[in-house]
Amino acid sequence: MPELVFFSGTMDCGKSTLALQIEHNRSTRGLQGMIFTRNDRAGEGKLSSRLGLVTDAVEAAEGFDFYAYLVAHLSQGNRADYVIVDEAQFLAGEQIDQLARVVDDLELDVFAFGITTDFRSKLFPGSQRLVELADRVEVLQVEALCWCGARATHNARTIGGEMVVEGAQVVVGDVNQSPDEVGYEVLCRRHHRRRMTAAAAHAAALSPDVLPVDPSSPADSVSRSPSSRA
Ligand SMILES: [Zn+2]
């Protein structure tokens, strides 16, 4: 039975690498996939992985109809044995419904890859609809780590290394951005709640106000900033 499978996780957990691996495994078995993505870091019409692999893809922009596209593709005599959709969190709910219809009516496997929650730890609309409709949800086992070494379960948006909690849901950026740009960092829940990015932790470690508190001045520990208590 064909399936709609949602491979979910944080940023930096290897989703695009797995998408490319699935594509590789199936194409070496003689199967032909249709690859879609949206807002990939490598630019329009590309599916890229942080490990440096890249392949061409169809850009599924706003209003793109997956079902109609695949019906047209197949009726023109082209082949598609399965479908891969990367950056599925950016899709509209109705586009996920179209993918479910591709599974049910065209009998193709659809492998969707996406970040579960945004920088405010709210579900992306595409991810929400995938959780609702998918035959299977796979939480990726290639686990990203917070700077503290704990499992990173949350995505933080940063500007100049500082975590921000307001702004548009979709601002394309990536981990390892240069300072002052919008970037992203994966954190454990504890450090996401405390807005403690790696840069903030580093700065706090160098700051005199986190040196061991003088036991003779207990008030000092109360007045310290929350970020120094991580
Ligand atoms: Zn942490």
Side-chain angles (χ1 to χ4, degrees):
M1 287 287 281
E3 284 187 311
L4 174 59
V5 187
F6 179 33
F7 294 92
S8 70
T10 58
M11 299 184 81
D12 215 8
C13 75
K15 286 183 305 300
S16 300
T17 303
L18 180 62
L20 288 163
Q21 184 70 49
I22 286 180
E23 158 66 11
H24 173 79
N25 291 353
R26 293 186 162 235
S27 64
T28 56
R29 295 258 179 265
L31 296 171
Q32 202 166 315
M34 281 296 312
I35 304 175
F36 299 94
T37 188
R38 177 143 175 197
N39 296 344
D40 187 273
R41 63 185 82 84
E44 209 164 278
K46 298 283 177 197
L47 192 173
S48 72
S49 114
R50 204 164 277 106
L51 300 186
L53 306 166
V54 62
T55 190
D56 289 330
V58 175
E59 184 78 12
E62 200 178 338
F64 180 86
D65 186 330
F66 286 91
Y67 184 78
Y69 183 94
L70 280 156
V71 166
H73 178 81
L74 294 167
S75 64
Q76 286 159 15
N78 300 302
R79 198 174 148 193
D81 300 311
Y82 61 96
V83 173
I84 286 175
V85 184
D86 199 22
E87 310 290 356
Q89 72 276 3
F90 294 141
L91 301 177
E94 64 192 37
Q95 291 176 309
I96 306 301
D97 284 73
Q98 293 158 10
L99 292 174
R101 194 172 172 204
V102 167
V103 175
D104 296 341
D105 294 0
L106 305 181
E107 302 193 332
L108 300 179
D109 281 317
V110 174
F111 305 106
F113 296 80
I115 298 166
T116 320
T117 54
D118 69 12
F119 71 106
R120 296 163 304 189
S121 60
K122 302 284 185 192
L123 285 167
F124 279 101
S127 304
Q128 181 186 335
R129 197 66 185 134
L130 276 163
V131 168
E132 291 163 352
L133 290 184
D135 295 291
R136 272 192 297 140
V137 177
E138 300 275 344
V139 177
L140 289 189
Q141 297 302 308
V142 181
E143 290 175 352
L145 298 179
C146 179
W147 58 266
C148 72
R151 187 171 164 233
T153 49
H154 288 66
N155 299 295
R157 179 180 292 169
T158 58
I159 295 177
E162 297 256 333
M163 181 169 156
V164 294
V165 292
E166 291 184 9
Q169 186 174 47
V170 178
V171 174
V172 177
D174 203 357
V175 293
N176 307 319
Q177 291 285 36
S178 63
D180 305 328
E181 285 182 81
V182 172
Y184 290 92
E185 180 173 338
V186 292
L187 298 172
C188 67
R189 188 187 59 229
R190 172 176 301 164
H191 287 129
H192 192 274
R193 287 182 50 236
R194 294 176 181 180
R195 304 188 191 180
M196 194 73 161
T197 62
H202 185 67
L206 296 177
S207 156
D209 71 23
V210 291
L211 290 174
V213 179
D214 179 355
S216 67
S217 58
D220 182 50
S221 65
V222 175
S223 65
R224 290 191 306 159
S225 72
S227 63
S228 64
R229 274 187 262 124

Short mmCIF file of all heavy atoms in Angstrom, two decimals, residues 95-128:
data_model
loop_
_atom_site.label_atom_id
_atom_site.label_comp_id
_atom_site.label_asym_id
_atom_site.label_seq_id
_atom_site.Cartn_x
_atom_site.Cartn_y
_atom_site.Cartn_z
N GLN A 95 -2.19 21.97 0.41
CA GLN A 95 -1.18 21.26 -0.40
C GLN A 95 -0.86 19.89 0.20
O GLN A 95 -0.57 18.94 -0.52
CB GLN A 95 0.09 22.12 -0.53
CG GLN A 95 -0.15 23.36 -1.40
CD GLN A 95 1.05 24.28 -1.47
OE1 GLN A 95 1.61 24.67 -0.45
NE2 GLN A 95 1.46 24.64 -2.68
N ILE A 96 -0.93 19.78 1.52
CA ILE A 96 -0.75 18.48 2.16
C ILE A 96 -1.94 17.56 1.82
O ILE A 96 -1.76 16.36 1.56
CB ILE A 96 -0.60 18.62 3.69
CG1 ILE A 96 0.52 19.62 4.04
CG2 ILE A 96 -0.36 17.26 4.34
CD1 ILE A 96 1.89 19.28 3.53
N ASP A 97 -3.14 18.14 1.77
CA ASP A 97 -4.30 17.36 1.34
C ASP A 97 -4.10 16.83 -0.09
O ASP A 97 -4.48 15.69 -0.39
CB ASP A 97 -5.58 18.21 1.41
CG ASP A 97 -6.07 18.38 2.84
OD1 ASP A 97 -5.44 19.14 3.60
OD2 ASP A 97 -7.07 17.73 3.20
N GLN A 98 -3.51 17.66 -0.96
CA GLN A 98 -3.22 17.20 -2.32
C GLN A 98 -2.24 16.02 -2.30
O GLN A 98 -2.39 15.06 -3.07
CB GLN A 98 -2.61 18.35 -3.15
CG GLN A 98 -3.59 19.50 -3.41
CD GLN A 98 -2.87 20.81 -3.73
OE1 GLN A 98 -1.66 20.82 -3.95
NE2 GLN A 98 -3.61 21.90 -3.74
N LEU A 99 -1.26 16.08 -1.42
CA LEU A 99 -0.29 14.99 -1.33
C LEU A 99 -0.98 13.70 -0.86
O LEU A 99 -0.66 12.61 -1.35
CB LEU A 99 0.86 15.36 -0.38
CG LEU A 99 1.78 16.48 -0.86
CD1 LEU A 99 2.78 16.86 0.23
CD2 LEU A 99 2.52 16.06 -2.14
N ALA A 100 -1.92 13.81 0.06
CA ALA A 100 -2.66 12.63 0.51
C ALA A 100 -3.45 12.03 -0.66
O ALA A 100 -3.54 10.81 -0.82
CB ALA A 100 -3.60 13.01 1.66
N ARG A 101 -3.98 12.92 -1.50
CA ARG A 101 -4.73 12.45 -2.67
C ARG A 101 -3.81 11.77 -3.68
O ARG A 101 -4.21 10.82 -4.37
CB ARG A 101 -5.46 13.64 -3.31
CG ARG A 101 -6.49 13.21 -4.29
CD ARG A 101 -7.35 14.37 -4.79
NE ARG A 101 -8.20 13.89 -5.87
CZ ARG A 101 -8.71 14.67 -6.82
NH1 ARG A 101 -8.49 15.97 -6.80
NH2 ARG A 101 -9.46 14.16 -7.77
N VAL A 102 -2.58 12.26 -3.80
CA VAL A 102 -1.59 11.62 -4.68
C VAL A 102 -1.36 10.18 -4.22
O VAL A 102 -1.28 9.25 -5.03
CB VAL A 102 -0.26 12.42 -4.67
CG1 VAL A 102 0.88 11.62 -5.30
CG2 VAL A 102 -0.45 13.75 -5.40
N VAL A 103 -1.29 9.99 -2.90
CA VAL A 103 -1.10 8.63 -2.35
C VAL A 103 -2.32 7.76 -2.67
O VAL A 103 -2.20 6.65 -3.18
CB VAL A 103 -0.87 8.68 -0.82
CG1 VAL A 103 -0.79 7.28 -0.23
CG2 VAL A 103 0.40 9.48 -0.50
N ASP A 104 -3.50 8.29 -2.38
CA ASP A 104 -4.73 7.48 -2.46
C ASP A 104 -5.19 7.25 -3.89
O ASP A 104 -5.62 6.15 -4.23
CB ASP A 104 -5.86 8.16 -1.68
CG ASP A 104 -5.54 8.26 -0.19
OD1 ASP A 104 -4.67 7.51 0.28
OD2 ASP A 104 -6.17 9.08 0.49
N ASP A 105 -5.14 8.29 -4.72
CA ASP A 105 -5.72 8.19 -6.06
C ASP A 105 -4.69 7.83 -7.13
O ASP A 105 -5.02 7.15 -8.10
CB ASP A 105 -6.41 9.50 -6.45
CG ASP A 105 -7.62 9.79 -5.58
OD1 ASP A 105 -7.91 8.97 -4.68
OD2 ASP A 105 -8.27 10.83 -5.78
N LEU A 106 -3.46 8.29 -6.96
CA LEU A 106 -2.42 7.96 -7.95
C LEU A 106 -1.56 6.78 -7.47
O LEU A 106 -0.72 6.28 -8.21
CB LEU A 106 -1.52 9.18 -8.23
CG LEU A 106 -2.25 10.46 -8.68
CD1 LEU A 106 -1.26 11.58 -8.96
CD2 LEU A 106 -3.10 10.19 -9.92
N GLU A 107 -1.76 6.38 -6.24
CA GLU A 107 -1.08 5.23 -5.64
C GLU A 107 0.44 5.36 -5.69
O GLU A 107 1.16 4.43 -6.08
CB GLU A 107 -1.57 3.93 -6.29
CG GLU A 107 -3.08 3.78 -6.12
CD GLU A 107 -3.60 2.38 -6.46
OE1 GLU A 107 -2.96 1.71 -7.30
OE2 GLU A 107 -4.62 1.98 -5.90
N LEU A 108 0.90 6.54 -5.31
CA LEU A 108 2.34 6.78 -5.21
C LEU A 108 2.71 6.98 -3.74
O LEU A 108 1.96 7.61 -2.99
CB LEU A 108 2.74 8.04 -5.98
CG LEU A 108 2.44 8.06 -7.48
CD1 LEU A 108 2.86 9.40 -8.08
CD2 LEU A 108 3.17 6.91 -8.19
N ASP A 109 3.88 6.46 -3.35
CA ASP A 109 4.42 6.80 -2.04
C ASP A 109 4.82 8.27 -2.03
O ASP A 109 5.43 8.75 -2.99
CB ASP A 109 5.68 5.97 -1.73
CG ASP A 109 5.34 4.56 -1.29
OD1 ASP A 109 4.41 4.38 -0.48
OD2 ASP A 109 6.04 3.63 -1.75
N VAL A 110 4.48 8.95 -0.96
CA VAL A 110 4.92 10.34 -0.79
C VAL A 110 5.72 10.43 0.50
O VAL A 110 5.23 10.09 1.58
CB VAL A 110 3.74 11.33 -0.75
CG1 VAL A 110 4.23 12.75 -0.42
CG2 VAL A 110 2.98 11.33 -2.08
N PHE A 111 6.98 10.87 0.36
CA PHE A 111 7.85 11.05 1.52
C PHE A 111 8.03 12.55 1.74
O PHE A 111 8.69 13.22 0.94
CB PHE A 111 9.21 10.38 1.28
CG PHE A 111 9.09 8.92 0.91
CD1 PHE A 111 9.31 8.51 -0.40
CD2 PHE A 111 8.76 7.97 1.86
CE1 PHE A 111 9.20 7.16 -0.75
CE2 PHE A 111 8.64 6.63 1.53
CZ PHE A 111 8.86 6.23 0.22
N ALA A 112 7.44 13.05 2.80
CA ALA A 112 7.52 14.48 3.09
C ALA A 112 8.50 14.70 4.24
O ALA A 112 8.47 13.96 5.23
CB ALA A 112 6.15 15.03 3.45
N PHE A 113 9.33 15.73 4.10
CA PHE A 113 10.33 16.04 5.12
C PHE A 113 10.11 17.45 5.61
O PHE A 113 9.96 18.37 4.80
CB PHE A 113 11.75 15.95 4.51
CG PHE A 113 12.09 14.56 4.06
CD1 PHE A 113 11.63 14.08 2.85
CD2 PHE A 113 12.85 13.73 4.86
CE1 PHE A 113 11.91 12.79 2.44
CE2 PHE A 113 13.15 12.44 4.45
CZ PHE A 113 12.67 11.97 3.25
N GLY A 114 10.09 17.63 6.92
CA GLY A 114 9.85 18.98 7.40
C GLY A 114 10.22 19.19 8.85
O GLY A 114 10.30 18.24 9.64
N ILE A 115 10.41 20.45 9.16
CA ILE A 115 10.64 20.86 10.54
C ILE A 115 9.28 20.87 11.23
O ILE A 115 8.30 21.35 10.66
CB ILE A 115 11.25 22.28 10.56
CG1 ILE A 115 12.60 22.29 9.86
CG2 ILE A 115 11.38 22.80 11.98
CD1 ILE A 115 13.09 23.69 9.54
N THR A 116 9.21 20.35 12.42
CA THR A 116 7.92 20.25 13.09
C THR A 116 7.42 21.61 13.56
O THR A 116 6.30 22.02 13.23
CB THR A 116 8.03 19.30 14.31
OG1 THR A 116 8.86 18.20 13.95
CG2 THR A 116 6.66 18.80 14.74
N THR A 117 8.23 22.31 14.33
CA THR A 117 7.77 23.57 14.93
C THR A 117 8.66 24.73 14.54
O THR A 117 9.83 24.56 14.22
CB THR A 117 7.74 23.46 16.47
OG1 THR A 117 9.03 23.04 16.93
CG2 THR A 117 6.67 22.48 16.93
N ASP A 118 8.08 25.93 14.62
CA ASP A 118 8.83 27.13 14.24
C ASP A 118 9.64 27.66 15.43
O ASP A 118 9.72 27.00 16.47
CB ASP A 118 7.88 28.20 13.67
CG ASP A 118 6.93 28.78 14.73
OD1 ASP A 118 7.13 28.54 15.94
OD2 ASP A 118 5.98 29.47 14.34
N PHE A 119 10.20 28.85 15.29
CA PHE A 119 11.10 29.39 16.32
C PHE A 119 10.37 29.77 17.59
O PHE A 119 11.00 30.02 18.62
CB PHE A 119 11.89 30.57 15.76
CG PHE A 119 11.06 31.82 15.53
CD1 PHE A 119 11.17 32.91 16.37
CD2 PHE A 119 10.17 31.90 14.47
CE1 PHE A 119 10.41 34.05 16.17
CE2 PHE A 119 9.41 33.02 14.27
CZ PHE A 119 9.52 34.10 15.11
N ARG A 120 9.00 29.82 17.54
CA ARG A 120 8.24 30.08 18.76
C ARG A 120 7.71 28.79 19.36
O ARG A 120 6.84 28.80 20.21
CB ARG A 120 7.06 31.01 18.43
CG ARG A 120 7.52 32.39 17.94
CD ARG A 120 6.38 33.12 17.23
NE ARG A 120 5.87 32.31 16.13
CZ ARG A 120 5.00 32.73 15.23
NH1 ARG A 120 4.53 33.95 15.30
NH2 ARG A 120 4.61 31.95 14.26
N SER A 121 8.20 27.66 18.83
CA SER A 121 7.75 26.31 19.19
C SER A 121 6.27 26.08 18.92
O SER A 121 5.61 25.35 19.63
CB SER A 121 8.16 25.91 20.62
OG SER A 121 7.63 26.77 21.58
N LYS A 122 5.78 26.69 17.83
CA LYS A 122 4.42 26.42 17.34
C LYS A 122 4.54 25.58 16.07
O LYS A 122 5.46 25.79 15.27
CB LYS A 122 3.70 27.72 16.99
CG LYS A 122 3.61 28.71 18.13
CD LYS A 122 2.55 28.32 19.12
CE LYS A 122 2.40 29.39 20.19
NZ LYS A 122 1.60 28.93 21.32
N LEU A 123 3.56 24.70 15.86
CA LEU A 123 3.57 23.88 14.64
C LEU A 123 3.48 24.76 13.39
O LEU A 123 2.68 25.69 13.34
CB LEU A 123 2.37 22.93 14.64
CG LEU A 123 2.43 21.71 15.55
CD1 LEU A 123 1.04 21.08 15.64
CD2 LEU A 123 3.43 20.70 15.03
N PHE A 124 4.29 24.44 12.38
CA PHE A 124 4.10 25.04 11.06
C PHE A 124 2.80 24.48 10.49
O PHE A 124 2.46 23.31 10.74
CB PHE A 124 5.25 24.65 10.13
CG PHE A 124 6.50 25.43 10.29
CD1 PHE A 124 7.56 24.91 11.00
CD2 PHE A 124 6.64 26.69 9.71
CE1 PHE A 124 8.75 25.63 11.14
CE2 PHE A 124 7.82 27.41 9.83
CZ PHE A 124 8.87 26.88 10.55
N PRO A 125 2.07 25.26 9.65
CA PRO A 125 0.81 24.74 9.10
C PRO A 125 0.99 23.45 8.29
O PRO A 125 0.18 22.53 8.41
CB PRO A 125 0.30 25.88 8.21
CG PRO A 125 1.29 26.99 8.30
CD PRO A 125 2.35 26.64 9.28
N GLY A 126 2.03 23.39 7.47
CA GLY A 126 2.27 22.18 6.68
C GLY A 126 2.54 20.98 7.57
O GLY A 126 2.06 19.87 7.31
N SER A 127 3.30 21.19 8.63
CA SER A 127 3.63 20.10 9.54
C SER A 127 2.41 19.66 10.33
O SER A 127 2.20 18.47 10.57
CB SER A 127 4.74 20.54 10.50
OG SER A 127 5.85 20.98 9.75
N GLN A 128 1.59 20.62 10.70
CA GLN A 128 0.37 20.28 11.43
C GLN A 128 -0.53 19.37 10.58
O GLN A 128 -1.00 18.33 11.05
CB GLN A 128 -0.41 21.55 11.79
CG GLN A 128 -1.69 21.25 12.56
CD GLN A 128 -2.54 22.47 12.81
OE1 GLN A 128 -2.05 23.59 12.84
NE2 GLN A 128 -3.82 22.25 12.97
#
